[in-house]
Structures are given as C-alpha cells and as structure tokens.
Amino acid sequence: MGDFRALKDRIAVVGVGNTAYGSFPETDDYGLGAEAFRRAVEDCGIEKDRIDGLLVCRVPYYARMGQILGLNPRWTISLPPHGRMSAMGIIEAAAALHAGLCDYAALIYTNIGRSRRVNYGGDESPGFWDPWGMTSPGAAHALMFRRHMALYGTTTRQLAEVSVAFRHHAILHPDAVMKKPITIEDHETARPICEPLRLLDYCLINDGAVCLIMTTRERARDLRKRPVLISGIGGREAYTDASIANFDLNFWYEEAQDMARQAYGMAGVGPGDVDAFMCYDNFSPTVLFALEGLGFCGRGESGAFVEGGTLRLGGKLPTNTDGGHLSNSYMQGWALNVEAVRQIRGECGERQVPGAEVVQFAAVTPCSRTIIYTPG
Amino acid sequence: MSATTATATPAKPLPTLDPVSKGFWDLANRGRLSVQRCDDCGHRHYPGAPVCPRCLSRQQTWEPVSGRGTLLSWVRFHRAYWEGFAPDIPYVVILVGLEEGPMMISNLVGARAEDVPIGAPLEVVFERATDQINLPKFRPRRG
C-alpha cells in the first residue's frame, strides 16, 4: 500500500471501441457513447452486465449514460470536458480496479462539439484576461511557441514537421477526418489564427466517441484479446499560473520531467525503449514541449529533433500513428490511448509500427499525465 | 469572470469588479499599477486571491509597483472572438514579467511587436476603457 508503483502490470485494457469521426447532427452525446461502448464490448467479448465501473468524460449526465447502457455500477466518476482528462481518468480507473472498487470498468468519452458549433474562446470560455483580447487555448500555445522560438531558435518550419507527419498518418487511418496530404509549405502559408500559429497547428473539432474497458490482469485472461498492460504511470500539475489558461512559461518542462521519472522508473524503461509515442496534440507546439520534457531530446532541441520525418512511421519515433488531434479526430487524448492499445495488439494495418511493445501516451498540459503500455 | 456591457456599439469585455479585484482597479483609476502583497509573509501575486497562495493569510494589500517589466512573449490575433475586437484585428497581446515578479497579460502600445525583442524593457501606460476601468497597457521603456 501507499506506492503507486504497486500498480505496475496489474491492470489491463481489454476492450477498445470508437465511432466514426466527423459531423453527426442526427445523433447526440449518448448515441455516440453507446456506439463506442457497444464496439468495445464486442472487441473484448465481455458480458455487458459484468461491467460494474463507469467513468464518463464530456458526457452530460453519467446516470443517463448508465440508464441507456443498462448499467448500475458500484463505481462512477464523471470528468469535465477538458483534454487533459484522458490519462487522468485511465489512471483513476486503474487505481479503482486495483483497490477492488470495481472489477470491470468502462470509460466512455463523447464529443458532439462539431454539430454544436463549440467555440474555444470568447464568451463561451470567459477568462481573466479577456479585456485585453486574450482568449482561447490556441493563443496560449502561440504565446509559448513564440517564447520557444526566441529562447531556442525554433522555427515554424520545424513546427510544421509535427502537422505534416500526423497528416501522413491520418491518411493511413480509415476513421480519420483529414485525408489530404500537406507539406511544410502548406503549413507555412496556411491562414494565421493567432501568430505564430496557423490553421494547421490547430486541432480539429469533430463529433465522435471512444470507449475503453479495463480490468485486472487476472480477469483479463478470460476475455477475447491479448490484454495490454499499464506498466508505468506518472503525473504532475502546474497551477501556479492558471489564470492564463493552458499556459506555462517553461513549457511544463519540470512537470514533464517529474512524470517521466515516475513512469519510466515504474515501468523499467526509458525514452529510447519507446516504440511508438502517442502525444496529446491540441496544438502542434505541445508535441515539441512533450518531447523535451520526457527526455526524447534535450531541452530546447525539439525543433531540430523533429526535422526530417522523425515522428513519421519509419522514423526514429513514430508519433500519433492515428493522425492525432491535428488530423485524425479531436477525441481529447482518448483515441490516442486506443491507438496505443491497437499498436501493441498489432491491429493497425498500414500504420502498424512493426513489433511495437512499449507504447507511451503523454499529455503535457496544466495536468500532465503519462501512461506506458506493454503487451500482457 | 468577464462581463460585457450592453451599449450601442459592440463592447469589449470588461474586468469583473469584486471584493478582491476592487483595490487593483481603484489604484488603476489613479494611474497606479499594483499587485497583491501578503501582509504576513510578503508574497506578491497577481491576479488577486482571497487568501495568500503561500501562507493562506487573509490579510493582503494592493501594493503599487514600479510599472516596469520585460516582454516575455507576444501573439497576434487574426480572429475576433468578440465583436468588440473585430475592428482591431489583427491585434497584439503580450505577456509581461513585472519587475516585482508576477506576470500580466496586456497589449503593446507605441511600437510594432516585431520591433520589440523578447526580453525588452517595458513600462506601463493606462488607457481608459470606461468611467470605472482604466486598463494597464505597456510600451517600450524609454531611457
């Protein structure tokens, strides 16, 4: 008791499912969530009524979701619609399963932001600095990237490598939203939204849902597919400058270093062992900050590190092989965790990383979290 | 935390005046920039808070500061999230590190952002938004 590392290899993701991604005004959050759940149940072959834990994120009302799915669990958590919640939720579910608070947990994320015309800024998300015109998470990342450029000489052409690599992966993914190839020049000439960031630095907003089913390693043996184990976890928040939402003057470097120490130490691996990297990418600069903070490259060196296709399939560090938030789908980290599971299972077809055994998810945000997945 | 006022022309969002922030805007009306200083431990912070984030004391005072700082970063908005900002786009938002420690988001006046390097010295100037609100902005420091 009392040491998070006791969770090492104890909990498995056994089922994953996702809806198509796009614009689905004919349905709603619950319709999307139910479809993702149905597919995850089918994926692992569990009897639905054995699920006794329910975690929902961006679902309006957890109890209505339970009603629709015919579940009366003994453990429920409802998380707010923030991108940083996916690995937070998966880690909470792992702890609950390990503690015996539930035996099988279904984690459901839904998003109907496209059909609802959600805006991430202005009066829809009021903030302290609105009187000066400062709003939106994209602007916070622009503020950080400008500073990164000034401190380290990072260029927008280097930043473009992130968007270009992920678009390449999305083209290989049957469910991805964005299918048109892009080049560094396309990135450089895209419409500016908040300089230095342009349209191709911004994530999509689309409808869809994702579901993961988790249980203990022992129970996982009775299900259909090879379990994928949670071998390392880490986390650290940065709230000191929270009045500037989604911002950190030092690119969350110390926090990412801290969570990397936790997760790599627990899993007994290092950045050099990671076969595929799933990186929360609400805006492209976040990927650079994560690469530095986790130690894939030195501090300030991420621009040079990503040059020449490092993040592409076949490159040194295949990253966001599903296309990420920039080109696959805005499932706020949840779909990237599903992709991690599918990579370890070898289910990724054209976008499969051969022999992927260590796959890491990370979100470098005001609540940084990372999870290291390995085969069970 | 912001509020827009109903006027004939589209308004920009205004700061919220509450028991914590009132002292800041009272001083701003007199052309003084301030940060909240803890009477017990001396910690300086901005925005204001109901207790000191370091020692949790409720005894805090808005203390005038030098108005000097440095440019930490800047961005240029090409999209207006409020109608009131539509005539201004593209407009520049800056991040300032005050000499006394806290950071503030503001706007740059009197210079093009491209001409002001990151780390350059700035000084506060005030631009009146309403009878109640005098907004602090920053310009390159002279001399």
PDB file of all heavy atoms in Angstrom, chain B residues 55-81:
ATOM      1  N   CYS B  55       0.924  31.448   2.183  1.00  0.00           N
ATOM      2  CA  CYS B  55       0.725  31.187   3.618  1.00  0.00           C
ATOM      3  C   CYS B  55      -0.742  31.163   4.038  1.00  0.00           C
ATOM      4  O   CYS B  55      -1.032  30.949   5.210  1.00  0.00           O
ATOM      5  CB  CYS B  55       1.508  32.206   4.447  1.00  0.00           C
ATOM      6  SG  CYS B  55       0.718  33.840   4.509  1.00  0.00           S
ATOM      7  N   LEU B  56      -1.656  31.398   3.096  1.00  0.00           N
ATOM      8  CA  LEU B  56      -3.108  31.337   3.336  1.00  0.00           C
ATOM      9  C   LEU B  56      -3.632  32.477   4.214  1.00  0.00           C
ATOM     10  O   LEU B  56      -4.780  32.456   4.650  1.00  0.00           O
ATOM     11  CB  LEU B  56      -3.540  29.986   3.922  1.00  0.00           C
ATOM     12  CG  LEU B  56      -3.202  28.758   3.082  1.00  0.00           C
ATOM     13  CD1 LEU B  56      -3.788  27.493   3.730  1.00  0.00           C
ATOM     14  CD2 LEU B  56      -3.737  28.896   1.660  1.00  0.00           C
ATOM     15  N   SER B  57      -2.804  33.479   4.463  1.00  0.00           N
ATOM     16  CA  SER B  57      -3.282  34.638   5.223  1.00  0.00           C
ATOM     17  C   SER B  57      -4.393  35.354   4.457  1.00  0.00           C
ATOM     18  O   SER B  57      -4.368  35.436   3.232  1.00  0.00           O
ATOM     19  CB  SER B  57      -2.124  35.620   5.447  1.00  0.00           C
ATOM     20  OG  SER B  57      -2.634  36.843   5.962  1.00  0.00           O
ATOM     21  N   ARG B  58      -5.368  35.887   5.217  1.00  0.00           N
ATOM     22  CA  ARG B  58      -6.419  36.703   4.583  1.00  0.00           C
ATOM     23  C   ARG B  58      -6.051  38.180   4.573  1.00  0.00           C
ATOM     24  O   ARG B  58      -6.780  39.006   4.035  1.00  0.00           O
ATOM     25  CB  ARG B  58      -7.741  36.510   5.326  1.00  0.00           C
ATOM     26  CG  ARG B  58      -8.386  35.168   5.017  1.00  0.00           C
ATOM     27  CD  ARG B  58      -9.671  34.987   5.781  1.00  0.00           C
ATOM     28  NE  ARG B  58      -9.452  35.073   7.213  1.00  0.00           N
ATOM     29  CZ  ARG B  58     -10.148  34.395   8.117  1.00  0.00           C
ATOM     30  NH1 ARG B  58     -11.115  33.594   7.742  1.00  0.00           N
ATOM     31  NH2 ARG B  58      -9.890  34.536   9.393  1.00  0.00           N
ATOM     32  N   GLN B  59      -4.935  38.520   5.208  1.00  0.00           N
ATOM     33  CA  GLN B  59      -4.526  39.923   5.323  1.00  0.00           C
ATOM     34  C   GLN B  59      -3.631  40.275   4.139  1.00  0.00           C
ATOM     35  O   GLN B  59      -2.447  39.944   4.136  1.00  0.00           O
ATOM     36  CB  GLN B  59      -3.777  40.157   6.644  1.00  0.00           C
ATOM     37  CG  GLN B  59      -4.539  39.671   7.872  1.00  0.00           C
ATOM     38  CD  GLN B  59      -5.940  40.268   7.964  1.00  0.00           C
ATOM     39  OE1 GLN B  59      -6.132  41.458   7.743  1.00  0.00           O
ATOM     40  NE2 GLN B  59      -6.931  39.426   8.268  1.00  0.00           N
ATOM     41  N   GLN B  60      -4.231  40.923   3.139  1.00  0.00           N
ATOM     42  CA  GLN B  60      -3.449  41.260   1.956  1.00  0.00           C
ATOM     43  C   GLN B  60      -3.763  42.687   1.528  1.00  0.00           C
ATOM     44  O   GLN B  60      -4.856  43.189   1.757  1.00  0.00           O
ATOM     45  CB  GLN B  60      -3.784  40.309   0.817  1.00  0.00           C
ATOM     46  CG  GLN B  60      -3.597  38.844   1.187  1.00  0.00           C
ATOM     47  CD  GLN B  60      -3.741  37.963  -0.029  1.00  0.00           C
ATOM     48  OE1 GLN B  60      -2.811  37.812  -0.805  1.00  0.00           O
ATOM     49  NE2 GLN B  60      -4.937  37.436  -0.219  1.00  0.00           N
ATOM     50  N   THR B  61      -2.792  43.303   0.852  1.00  0.00           N
ATOM     51  CA  THR B  61      -2.931  44.699   0.451  1.00  0.00           C
ATOM     52  C   THR B  61      -2.525  44.844  -1.009  1.00  0.00           C
ATOM     53  O   THR B  61      -1.567  44.194  -1.450  1.00  0.00           O
ATOM     54  CB  THR B  61      -1.994  45.584   1.310  1.00  0.00           C
ATOM     55  OG1 THR B  61      -2.299  45.340   2.688  1.00  0.00           O
ATOM     56  CG2 THR B  61      -2.177  47.054   0.999  1.00  0.00           C
ATOM     57  N   TRP B  62      -3.266  45.693  -1.740  1.00  0.00           N
ATOM     58  CA  TRP B  62      -2.833  46.026  -3.100  1.00  0.00           C
ATOM     59  C   TRP B  62      -1.704  47.049  -2.990  1.00  0.00           C
ATOM     60  O   TRP B  62      -1.904  48.156  -2.487  1.00  0.00           O
ATOM     61  CB  TRP B  62      -3.999  46.577  -3.913  1.00  0.00           C
ATOM     62  CG  TRP B  62      -4.938  45.463  -4.289  1.00  0.00           C
ATOM     63  CD1 TRP B  62      -6.116  45.143  -3.681  1.00  0.00           C
ATOM     64  CD2 TRP B  62      -4.748  44.514  -5.339  1.00  0.00           C
ATOM     65  NE1 TRP B  62      -6.679  44.031  -4.288  1.00  0.00           N
ATOM     66  CE2 TRP B  62      -5.863  43.633  -5.314  1.00  0.00           C
ATOM     67  CE3 TRP B  62      -3.759  44.306  -6.297  1.00  0.00           C
ATOM     68  CZ2 TRP B  62      -6.002  42.565  -6.210  1.00  0.00           C
ATOM     69  CZ3 TRP B  62      -3.902  43.251  -7.198  1.00  0.00           C
ATOM     70  CH2 TRP B  62      -5.010  42.395  -7.149  1.00  0.00           C
ATOM     71  N   GLU B  63      -0.531  46.650  -3.456  1.00  0.00           N
ATOM     72  CA  GLU B  63       0.664  47.474  -3.290  1.00  0.00           C
ATOM     73  C   GLU B  63       1.101  48.022  -4.654  1.00  0.00           C
ATOM     74  O   GLU B  63       1.379  47.238  -5.569  1.00  0.00           O
ATOM     75  CB  GLU B  63       1.787  46.607  -2.710  1.00  0.00           C
ATOM     76  CG  GLU B  63       3.094  47.337  -2.518  1.00  0.00           C
ATOM     77  CD  GLU B  63       4.194  46.378  -2.075  1.00  0.00           C
ATOM     78  OE1 GLU B  63       4.706  45.616  -2.932  1.00  0.00           O
ATOM     79  OE2 GLU B  63       4.530  46.389  -0.885  1.00  0.00           O
ATOM     80  N   PRO B  64       1.191  49.329  -4.798  1.00  0.00           N
ATOM     81  CA  PRO B  64       1.676  49.880  -6.074  1.00  0.00           C
ATOM     82  C   PRO B  64       3.067  49.340  -6.400  1.00  0.00           C
ATOM     83  O   PRO B  64       3.899  49.154  -5.504  1.00  0.00           O
ATOM     84  CB  PRO B  64       1.727  51.387  -5.811  1.00  0.00           C
ATOM     85  CG  PRO B  64       0.730  51.614  -4.720  1.00  0.00           C
ATOM     86  CD  PRO B  64       0.809  50.388  -3.853  1.00  0.00           C
ATOM     87  N   VAL B  65       3.263  49.062  -7.701  1.00  0.00           N
ATOM     88  CA  VAL B  65       4.569  48.564  -8.150  1.00  0.00           C
ATOM     89  C   VAL B  65       5.164  49.587  -9.120  1.00  0.00           C
ATOM     90  O   VAL B  65       4.527  50.588  -9.469  1.00  0.00           O
ATOM     91  CB  VAL B  65       4.454  47.168  -8.801  1.00  0.00           C
ATOM     92  CG1 VAL B  65       4.093  46.120  -7.759  1.00  0.00           C
ATOM     93  CG2 VAL B  65       3.434  47.182  -9.946  1.00  0.00           C
ATOM     94  N   SER B  66       6.373  49.291  -9.580  1.00  0.00           N
ATOM     95  CA  SER B  66       7.125  50.253 -10.386  1.00  0.00           C
ATOM     96  C   SER B  66       6.478  50.508 -11.746  1.00  0.00           C
ATOM     97  O   SER B  66       6.726  51.545 -12.360  1.00  0.00           O
ATOM     98  CB  SER B  66       8.548  49.722 -10.597  1.00  0.00           C
ATOM     99  OG  SER B  66       8.485  48.522 -11.363  1.00  0.00           O
ATOM    100  N   GLY B  67       5.695  49.538 -12.237  1.00  0.00           N
ATOM    101  CA  GLY B  67       5.172  49.665 -13.600  1.00  0.00           C
ATOM    102  C   GLY B  67       6.185  49.251 -14.647  1.00  0.00           C
ATOM    103  O   GLY B  67       5.915  49.335 -15.841  1.00  0.00           O
ATOM    104  N   ARG B  68       7.337  48.781 -14.202  1.00  0.00           N
ATOM    105  CA  ARG B  68       8.368  48.325 -15.135  1.00  0.00           C
ATOM    106  C   ARG B  68       8.337  46.796 -15.249  1.00  0.00           C
ATOM    107  O   ARG B  68       8.066  46.089 -14.267  1.00  0.00           O
ATOM    108  CB  ARG B  68       9.758  48.767 -14.663  1.00  0.00           C
ATOM    109  CG  ARG B  68       9.977  50.267 -14.748  1.00  0.00           C
ATOM    110  CD  ARG B  68      11.438  50.618 -14.513  1.00  0.00           C
ATOM    111  NE  ARG B  68      11.863  50.294 -13.159  1.00  0.00           N
ATOM    112  CZ  ARG B  68      11.812  51.161 -12.140  1.00  0.00           C
ATOM    113  NH1 ARG B  68      11.371  52.389 -12.314  1.00  0.00           N
ATOM    114  NH2 ARG B  68      12.224  50.796 -10.941  1.00  0.00           N
ATOM    115  N   GLY B  69       8.645  46.332 -16.447  1.00  0.00           N
ATOM    116  CA  GLY B  69       8.695  44.887 -16.661  1.00  0.00           C
ATOM    117  C   GLY B  69       9.431  44.577 -17.942  1.00  0.00           C
ATOM    118  O   GLY B  69      10.016  45.476 -18.565  1.00  0.00           O
ATOM    119  N   THR B  70       9.423  43.302 -18.324  1.00  0.00           N
ATOM    120  CA  THR B  70      10.056  42.917 -19.584  1.00  0.00           C
ATOM    121  C   THR B  70       9.064  42.128 -20.421  1.00  0.00           C
ATOM    122  O   THR B  70       8.139  41.510 -19.898  1.00  0.00           O
ATOM    123  CB  THR B  70      11.308  42.038 -19.352  1.00  0.00           C
ATOM    124  OG1 THR B  70      10.928  40.901 -18.574  1.00  0.00           O
ATOM    125  CG2 THR B  70      12.398  42.797 -18.629  1.00  0.00           C
ATOM    126  N   LEU B  71       9.286  42.149 -21.730  1.00  0.00           N
ATOM    127  CA  LEU B  71       8.432  41.391 -22.655  1.00  0.00           C
ATOM    128  C   LEU B  71       8.841  39.923 -22.598  1.00  0.00           C
ATOM    129  O   LEU B  71       9.991  39.581 -22.891  1.00  0.00           O
ATOM    130  CB  LEU B  71       8.601  41.932 -24.079  1.00  0.00           C
ATOM    131  CG  LEU B  71       7.744  41.238 -25.139  1.00  0.00           C
ATOM    132  CD1 LEU B  71       6.257  41.537 -24.928  1.00  0.00           C
ATOM    133  CD2 LEU B  71       8.167  41.657 -26.546  1.00  0.00           C
ATOM    134  N   LEU B  72       7.889  39.057 -22.210  1.00  0.00           N
ATOM    135  CA  LEU B  72       8.172  37.619 -22.154  1.00  0.00           C
ATOM    136  C   LEU B  72       7.739  36.909 -23.429  1.00  0.00           C
ATOM    137  O   LEU B  72       8.366  35.929 -23.842  1.00  0.00           O
ATOM    138  CB  LEU B  72       7.470  36.983 -20.953  1.00  0.00           C
ATOM    139  CG  LEU B  72       7.916  37.480 -19.577  1.00  0.00           C
ATOM    140  CD1 LEU B  72       7.084  36.829 -18.472  1.00  0.00           C
ATOM    141  CD2 LEU B  72       9.406  37.184 -19.347  1.00  0.00           C
ATOM    142  N   SER B  73       6.652  37.384 -24.034  1.00  0.00           N
ATOM    143  CA  SER B  73       6.207  36.808 -25.303  1.00  0.00           C
ATOM    144  C   SER B  73       5.090  37.667 -25.878  1.00  0.00           C
ATOM    145  O   SER B  73       4.581  38.566 -25.195  1.00  0.00           O
ATOM    146  CB  SER B  73       5.724  35.368 -25.120  1.00  0.00           C
ATOM    147  OG  SER B  73       5.550  34.741 -26.380  1.00  0.00           O
ATOM    148  N   TRP B  74       4.730  37.389 -27.115  1.00  0.00           N
ATOM    149  CA  TRP B  74       3.610  38.105 -27.733  1.00  0.00           C
ATOM    150  C   TRP B  74       2.978  37.254 -28.831  1.00  0.00           C
ATOM    151  O   TRP B  74       3.621  36.355 -29.377  1.00  0.00           O
ATOM    152  CB  TRP B  74       4.052  39.456 -28.297  1.00  0.00           C
ATOM    153  CG  TRP B  74       5.030  39.394 -29.440  1.00  0.00           C
ATOM    154  CD1 TRP B  74       6.391  39.320 -29.349  1.00  0.00           C
ATOM    155  CD2 TRP B  74       4.721  39.396 -30.842  1.00  0.00           C
ATOM    156  NE1 TRP B  74       6.953  39.268 -30.598  1.00  0.00           N
ATOM    157  CE2 TRP B  74       5.952  39.316 -31.542  1.00  0.00           C
ATOM    158  CE3 TRP B  74       3.534  39.467 -31.570  1.00  0.00           C
ATOM    159  CZ2 TRP B  74       6.032  39.299 -32.929  1.00  0.00           C
ATOM    160  CZ3 TRP B  74       3.601  39.441 -32.968  1.00  0.00           C
ATOM    161  CH2 TRP B  74       4.843  39.365 -33.629  1.00  0.00           C
ATOM    162  N   VAL B  75       1.724  37.548 -29.104  1.00  0.00           N
ATOM    163  CA  VAL B  75       0.995  36.880 -30.186  1.00  0.00           C
ATOM    164  C   VAL B  75       0.190  37.930 -30.944  1.00  0.00           C
ATOM    165  O   VAL B  75      -0.010  39.055 -30.460  1.00  0.00           O
ATOM    166  CB  VAL B  75       0.042  35.785 -29.661  1.00  0.00           C
ATOM    167  CG1 VAL B  75       0.824  34.679 -28.972  1.00  0.00           C
ATOM    168  CG2 VAL B  75      -1.006  36.368 -28.731  1.00  0.00           C
ATOM    169  N   ARG B  76      -0.259  37.550 -32.146  1.00  0.00           N
ATOM    170  CA  ARG B  76      -1.103  38.457 -32.910  1.00  0.00           C
ATOM    171  C   ARG B  76      -2.375  37.730 -33.320  1.00  0.00           C
ATOM    172  O   ARG B  76      -2.314  36.735 -34.048  1.00  0.00           O
ATOM    173  CB  ARG B  76      -0.366  38.992 -34.143  1.00  0.00           C
ATOM    174  CG  ARG B  76      -1.211  39.975 -34.954  1.00  0.00           C
ATOM    175  CD  ARG B  76      -0.452  40.559 -36.134  1.00  0.00           C
ATOM    176  NE  ARG B  76       0.460  41.618 -35.716  1.00  0.00           N
ATOM    177  CZ  ARG B  76       1.772  41.607 -35.946  1.00  0.00           C
ATOM    178  NH1 ARG B  76       2.338  40.600 -36.568  1.00  0.00           N
ATOM    179  NH2 ARG B  76       2.530  42.608 -35.546  1.00  0.00           N
ATOM    180  N   PHE B  77      -3.497  38.215 -32.830  1.00  0.00           N
ATOM    181  CA  PHE B  77      -4.797  37.609 -33.133  1.00  0.00           C
ATOM    182  C   PHE B  77      -5.283  38.025 -34.526  1.00  0.00           C
ATOM    183  O   PHE B  77      -5.341  39.215 -34.825  1.00  0.00           O
ATOM    184  CB  PHE B  77      -5.845  38.043 -32.102  1.00  0.00           C
ATOM    185  CG  PHE B  77      -5.795  37.266 -30.817  1.00  0.00           C
ATOM    186  CD1 PHE B  77      -4.813  37.525 -29.861  1.00  0.00           C
ATOM    187  CD2 PHE B  77      -6.743  36.290 -30.540  1.00  0.00           C
ATOM    188  CE1 PHE B  77      -4.770  36.820 -28.672  1.00  0.00           C
ATOM    189  CE2 PHE B  77      -6.702  35.576 -29.353  1.00  0.00           C
ATOM    190  CZ  PHE B  77      -5.718  35.837 -28.419  1.00  0.00           C
ATOM    191  N   HIS B  78      -5.651  37.016 -35.319  1.00  0.00           N
ATOM    192  CA  HIS B  78      -6.266  37.290 -36.619  1.00  0.00           C
ATOM    193  C   HIS B  78      -7.744  36.943 -36.609  1.00  0.00           C
ATOM    194  O   HIS B  78      -8.400  37.001 -37.629  1.00  0.00           O
ATOM    195  CB  HIS B  78      -5.553  36.485 -37.722  1.00  0.00           C
ATOM    196  CG  HIS B  78      -4.187  37.007 -38.010  1.00  0.00           C
ATOM    197  ND1 HIS B  78      -3.903  37.832 -39.070  1.00  0.00           N
ATOM    198  CD2 HIS B  78      -3.023  36.853 -37.336  1.00  0.00           C
ATOM    199  CE1 HIS B  78      -2.612  38.142 -39.055  1.00  0.00           C
ATOM    200  NE2 HIS B  78      -2.058  37.564 -38.016  1.00  0.00           N
ATOM    201  N   ARG B  79      -8.227  36.500 -35.468  1.00  0.00           N
ATOM    202  CA  ARG B  79      -9.637  36.155 -35.329  1.00  0.00           C
ATOM    203  C   ARG B  79     -10.193  36.941 -34.145  1.00  0.00           C
ATOM    204  O   ARG B  79      -9.542  37.045 -33.100  1.00  0.00           O
ATOM    205  CB  ARG B  79      -9.762  34.654 -35.053  1.00  0.00           C
ATOM    206  CG  ARG B  79     -11.185  34.222 -34.866  1.00  0.00           C
ATOM    207  CD  ARG B  79     -11.327  32.743 -34.584  1.00  0.00           C
ATOM    208  NE  ARG B  79     -12.687  32.534 -34.116  1.00  0.00           N
ATOM    209  CZ  ARG B  79     -13.145  31.417 -33.606  1.00  0.00           C
ATOM    210  NH1 ARG B  79     -12.370  30.372 -33.501  1.00  0.00           N
ATOM    211  NH2 ARG B  79     -14.392  31.337 -33.198  1.00  0.00           N
ATOM    212  N   ALA B  80     -11.385  37.514 -34.327  1.00  0.00           N
ATOM    213  CA  ALA B  80     -12.043  38.246 -33.244  1.00  0.00           C
ATOM    214  C   ALA B  80     -13.031  37.309 -32.553  1.00  0.00           C
ATOM    215  O   ALA B  80     -13.989  36.860 -33.175  1.00  0.00           O
ATOM    216  CB  ALA B  80     -12.765  39.472 -33.776  1.00  0.00           C
ATOM    217  N   TYR B  81     -12.768  37.005 -31.297  1.00  0.00           N
ATOM    218  CA  TYR B  81     -13.663  36.134 -30.537  1.00  0.00           C
ATOM    219  C   TYR B  81     -14.818  36.943 -29.937  1.00  0.00           C
ATOM    220  O   TYR B  81     -15.772  36.375 -29.446  1.00  0.00           O
ATOM    221  CB  TYR B  81     -12.899  35.400 -29.439  1.00  0.00           C
ATOM    222  CG  TYR B  81     -11.949  34.338 -29.968  1.00  0.00           C
ATOM    223  CD1 TYR B  81     -10.675  34.680 -30.425  1.00  0.00           C
ATOM    224  CD2 TYR B  81     -12.322  32.999 -30.011  1.00  0.00           C
ATOM    225  CE1 TYR B  81      -9.800  33.707 -30.908  1.00  0.00           C
ATOM    226  CE2 TYR B  81     -11.458  32.025 -30.482  1.00  0.00           C
ATOM    227  CZ  TYR B  81     -10.205  32.389 -30.925  1.00  0.00           C
ATOM    228  OH  TYR B  81      -9.341  31.418 -31.398  1.00  0.00           O
TER     229      TYR B  81
END
